[in-house]
Each structure stands twice: as structure tokens, then as C-alpha cells.
Amino acid sequence: FYPMLADLYLLEGDLARARKVCEVGLDHDSTNVDGKYILGKVAVAENKLTLAEKWLKQVVNENPAHFTALRLLINVERQLKRSVKTIQAYISRLLQFIPYDDECLKWLNEINAVRDLDDLKALPDSDGVTENITPSSADKKTAEPIIEKSYKIVESMATFSMVKVLK
């Protein structure tokens, strides 16, 4: 139950108590991923991003289906300006479970936009000076294909409340 108590302390803003509860709890049960997740959240709240990264990596390695930890880890990796390949690996991991996740698709689009800008900056003109050229859509290189939602919602396929949820 200690992760719930630590989470309550975290919600109240008492970071020191939340951290202490998790540390004591993990001394007794070092395999509790929820305790490690709360420690990661405490580290994020204290702006100790490398420590948060360490705890969150442990959580997602021990429990690949811990989606909230995976999302938080992706955000921490982005703030720490980790390599695009590292961030894409975690995004791909999340997309394996939730294929059409809007937030993941947004992150991929941002990564692809940054790569396109980097490609433009790397293109030298004849004098060795870079120039601003907008490449055609055929010239753009994307790291991963952007997944488009390909389903159509028809009201006859489920109850009205289910159709509302799907929409």
C-alpha cells in the first residue's frame, strides 16, 4: 500500500515524505514497480530529470505495459534532449500496445519535422553556404511512417454510447 500513500503525499506537494515512504517501501520490496514509478514522479517534481529517467527506465523494463510511466519517460527523455533513436524506441514501444495513440503520433510528427529542418540546414549551396530550400514531399525522409487512422465509425456497429466513445 505504500505507493498509494506516497502518491497522496505527492498530490499534497509533500515531496520529502513521498520520497521517504517510497524509499522505505522499496527497502522491503525492491520489485514494486509502482513505488519506483512514484519515485520517478517525485524526481520529476524536484526537477531531477536524470534521476527520474533512471527510475522510469527501471519501471518500463520491468513492466512494459506501464503506459503512464512510459509516457512520462518519453517526456523526460525529450526534456533531457536524448537522441532521436532513443526517444523513437520508447514511442514505438508504446505504439505496439496503443497503435493510434494521438500523443505518440504527435511526437513522431515533431521528431520528423526537426529532422527535416536539420536536413535543410545540412544542405550546402555552391558557395558552401546553406540556403533555405523547401524540399518536395518526395524528398522528405521520415524516420517512421505516420500511421493514419483507417477505420470508419458506423452507428450500426455498436450501441449509441459505444459509438460516442469511439468518436
Side-chain angles (χ1 to χ4, degrees):
F1 293 106
Y2 78 88
M4 293 188 296
L5 177 62
D7 196 34
L8 287 173
Y9 283 136
L10 182 63
L11 290 174
E12 292 175 355
D14 194 349
L15 302 178
R17 278 197 178 133
R19 184 180 346 90
K20 186 67 175 174
V21 166
C22 285
E23 289 170 350
V24 169
L26 285 172
D27 283 343
H28 294 288
D29 180 15
S30 62
T31 63
N32 190 313
V33 293
D34 293 324
K36 294 174 184 178
Y37 171 66
I38 299 298
L39 269 177
K41 284 174 57 174
V42 168
V44 168
E46 293 174 337
N47 203 26
K48 297 177 180 176
L49 297 180
T50 53
L51 182 61
E53 179 185 35
K54 176 191 127 186
W55 287 114
L56 293 170
K57 279 184 177 182
Q58 286 182 24
V59 171
V60 298
N61 287 335
E62 292 172 16
N63 183 3
H66 202 301
F67 303 134
T68 53
L70 195 51
R71 287 181 193 282
L72 186 57
L73 177 60
I74 292 169
N75 281 320
V76 167
E77 297 277 339
R78 292 176 69 221
Q79 288 177 356
L80 290 172
K81 298 186 186 326
R82 298 295 187 224
S83 75
V84 172
K85 285 184 179 183
T86 303
I87 296 170
Q88 276 186 329
Y90 289 118
I91 293 172
S92 297
R93 219 166 164 181
L94 189 56
L95 283 173
Q96 286 176 347
F97 292 102
I98 310 169
Y100 301 111
D101 184 65
D102 289 332
E103 191 173 23
C104 286
L105 295 175
K106 184 186 88 168
W107 288 330
L108 282 178
N109 285 334
E110 288 174 4
I111 288 171
N112 290 335
V114 168
R115 278 193 170 176
D116 290 343
L117 285 176
D118 290 343
D119 289 346
L120 283 177
K121 290 177 183 175
L123 292 175
D125 69 9
S126 59
D127 297 333
V129 179
T130 60
E131 64 181 70
N132 269 337
I133 311 171
T134 305
S136 68
S137 60
D139 293 340
K140 289 185 180 181
K141 295 178 183 175
T142 57
E144 275 191 34
I146 303 302
I147 301 170
E148 295 293 326
K149 294 181 182 178
S150 61
Y151 56 88
K152 184 176 179 186
I153 299 171
V154 181
E155 291 186 18
S156 64
M157 64 189 234
T159 63
F160 290 115
S161 58
M162 182 55 112
V163 169
K164 288 180 183 177
V165 167
L166 290 172
K167 283 183 180 180

